[in-house]
Amino acid sequence: MCTHFHYPPPELQRELEQIAQAVCASGKGILAADESTSTIGKRLDGIGVKNTEENRRDYRELLFTAPAELSDYISGVLLFHETVYQTTADGKSMMELLRRRKLIPGIKVDTGVVSLMGTDAEKTTQGLDELSKRCSQYKKDGCQFAKWRCVLRIGLNTPSYQAMLENANVLARYASICQANGLVPIVEPEVLPDGDHSLERAQKVTETVLAFVYKALHDHHVHLEGTLLKPNMVTAGKTSRLVYRAEDQARATVACLMRCVPPAVPGITFLSGGMTEEEATVMLCEINKVRGKKPWSLTFSFGRALQASVLRVWAGRKEQVFAAQQQLLNRARANSQAALGTYQSGSCKGVAAQADQFIKNHEY
Ligand code: 13P
């Protein structure tokens, strides 16, 4: 029976809680730089840079050597496996760079999405094989938190019961394996923005998905105080003709989370899901401005919406490294203000601030 269980040892509970709280500390969020080799390849392709190990290294080195002010806004960095074991051009380990900047390293541990047979193109996420062994090694090598992304698609008949149950269950298995190895699991059930659905439908689907997720986490005895949630913000579908104000979408997001996420969870670190840099910052700020109860820290774990301007300014050119780092610093500062509800819309002028980041059926 799932009512018979043992709490994790108190020291492990405290350790997980401390990591989770440090990652979602007030006014701080996560730089998601955990693009797989093929995904970073698409980003590099977009700026005319070849997807070689050296170029990936140069790019990530640029991110992690940004001015120290970055750690006023960024608490942790999500990494892909390759980066954890990579060294800089002059032989320093990437993990050492993060330590110097007081940035907490996190690791993407899922191995990508696969199709669920008999569904309308629905997916689940793989990576449980050897996960405990991998988590134990990552912890020894300095990682403190992990991420696993599941995707759910809104359509006429989706997400299906099967997809919601399977994805919730695999997220819960992942979360319990991480915690057993001292890593804080970031639980990421992303409801994709693809589709022409209304804001109301997006809200109801996200609520239902989260209800499945928290039931599964409970069934698997996951210690919620030592977890973080990485959800989508609730918005109308990308091809919907309906127009909603950011504040209405923010209200829908907070209502959805209030109904489904227990207050024991310390932080909610949103993904940016294809919004422009500026849209994601404004939405995060509006979410934090919604009046009423919000018992968790509401912050960012943006990938595209933190890196679009950086990539464009850098474009593989050594002499542009400093300027690209300034773009990162500016957007990180803006998102920090948004996490505190104080961002002035339009005040952060990134070169790609308004560039659409939407990718159909986005994979990571
Ligand atoms: P985006 O912010 O680009 O949607 O990335 C989300 C993510 O899962 C990165 O870890």
Side-chain angles (χ1 to χ4, degrees):
M1 253 324 267
C2 60
T3 53
H4 177 81
F5 77 108
H6 305 282
Y7 284 110
E11 320 77 68
L12 178 58
Q13 289 185 39
R14 295 295 91 73
E15 184 184 352
L16 294 167
E17 287 165 13
Q18 277 164 13
I19 297 166
Q21 283 162 18
V23 172
C24 65
S26 177
K28 293 193 185 187
I30 299 169
L31 165 62
D34 59 320
E35 300 86 356
S36 63
T37 302
S38 76
T39 300
I40 194 69
K42 290 176 202 146
R43 308 275 193 277
L44 295 177
D45 195 44
I47 52 166
V49 173
K50 267 214 175 122
N51 189 13
T52 61
E53 211 231 302
E54 195 179 330
N55 288 336
R56 293 193 295 275
R57 177 202 69 195
D58 288 350
Y59 176 59
R60 264 89 186 228
E61 184 173 343
L62 174 163
L63 297 175
F64 310 154
T65 53
E69 186 191 338
L70 189 69
S71 45
D72 293 345
Y73 317 126
I74 302 285
S75 54
V77 181
L78 268 168
L79 306 168
F80 186 63
H81 177 87
E82 176 183 76
T83 318
V84 178
Y85 300 103
Q86 213 165 26
T87 49
T88 60
D90 61 2
K92 275 188 235 63
S93 89
M94 292 284 187
M95 295 291 273
E96 178 55 29
L97 291 187
L98 296 182
R99 255 190 302 278
R100 286 188 191 180
R101 288 275 176 278
K102 297 196 176 57
L103 297 168
I104 307 168
I107 176 76
K108 168 192 165 80
V109 295
D110 69 71
T111 56
V113 298
V114 284
S115 297
L116 285 171
M117 191 180 99
T119 64
D120 289 352
E122 293 188 282
K123 311 275 187 188
T124 186
T125 302
Q126 298 196 122
L128 290 180
D129 287 356
E130 309 268 322
L131 182 58
S132 187
K133 215 161 110 192
R134 291 192 286 130
C135 285
S136 152
Q137 192 61 49
Y138 287 135
K139 178 80 182 185
K140 283 194 196 110
D141 295 331
C143 296
Q144 302 298 336
F145 64 102
K147 144 190 156 166
W148 179 293
R149 176 176 180 263
C150 283
V151 291
L152 295 121
R153 212 167 53 86
I154 302 183
L156 198 57
N157 300 306
T158 64
S160 65
Y161 178 82
Q162 173 199 5
M164 289 190 287
L165 192 65
E166 159 58 25
N167 281 292
N169 201 63
V170 81
L171 280 168
R173 283 287 296 131
Y174 140 79
S176 79
I177 293 168
C178 282
Q179 289 198 327
N181 287 287
L183 295 178
V184 164
I186 296 190
V187 175
E188 181 176 2
E190 177 176 3
V191 178
L192 293 171
D194 305 59
D196 60 1
H197 49 271
S198 65
L199 178 62
E200 290 70 22
R201 174 125 168 90
Q203 181 179 338
K204 185 64 185 172
V205 169
T206 307
E207 286 175 7
T208 311
V209 165
L210 291 177
F212 271 80
V213 167
Y214 281 98
K215 170 73 169 98
L217 292 176
H218 183 267
D219 287 347
H220 286 261
H221 317 308
V222 173
H223 181 58
L224 290 184
E225 290 84 344
T227 65
L228 295 165
L229 175 70
K230 177 162 173 169
N232 49 289
M233 296 172 182
V234 176
T235 61
K238 191 69 191 166
T239 50
S240 165
R241 296 227 185 90
L242 300 164
V243 180
Y244 300 89
R245 295 176 308 171
E247 56 200 272
D248 296 329
Q249 308 201 90
R251 254 199 304 275
T253 305
V254 173
C256 163
L257 297 171
M258 278 301 292
R259 289 172 184 169
C260 308
V261 185
V265 174
I268 297 179
T269 63
F270 293 99
L271 57 94
S272 62
M275 291 184 199
T276 68
E277 289 181 337
E278 182 64 11
E279 277 168 355
T281 306
V282 168
M283 269 292 287
L284 180 62
C285 190
E286 289 299 328
I287 285 169
N288 277 288
K289 279 160 61 182
V290 172
R291 283 174 200 265
K293 268 190 280 182
K294 297 188 295 287
W296 343 259
S297 154
L298 291 160
T299 187
F300 58 94
S301 174
F302 295 161
R304 285 164 285 176
L306 256 173
Q307 297 181 59
S309 293
V310 183
L311 282 162
R312 193 181 294 179
V313 167
W314 175 57
R317 296 165 296 178
K318 265 205 177 73
E319 66 281 10
Q320 285 297 97
V321 166
F322 182 73
Q325 290 173 332
Q326 292 304 311
Q327 297 282 327
L328 176 64
L329 207 53
N330 291 344
R331 186 51 63 182
R333 188 187 304 110
N335 285 321
S336 164
Q337 291 164 352
L340 299 169
T342 62
Y343 177 68
Q344 289 298 318
S345 172
S347 60
C348 180
K349 313 244 180 276
V351 297
Q354 310 291 348
D356 193 12
Q357 300 302 316
F358 177 70
I359 299 165
K360 237 173 149 222
N361 287 320
H362 182 237
E363 291 189 10
Y364 225 72

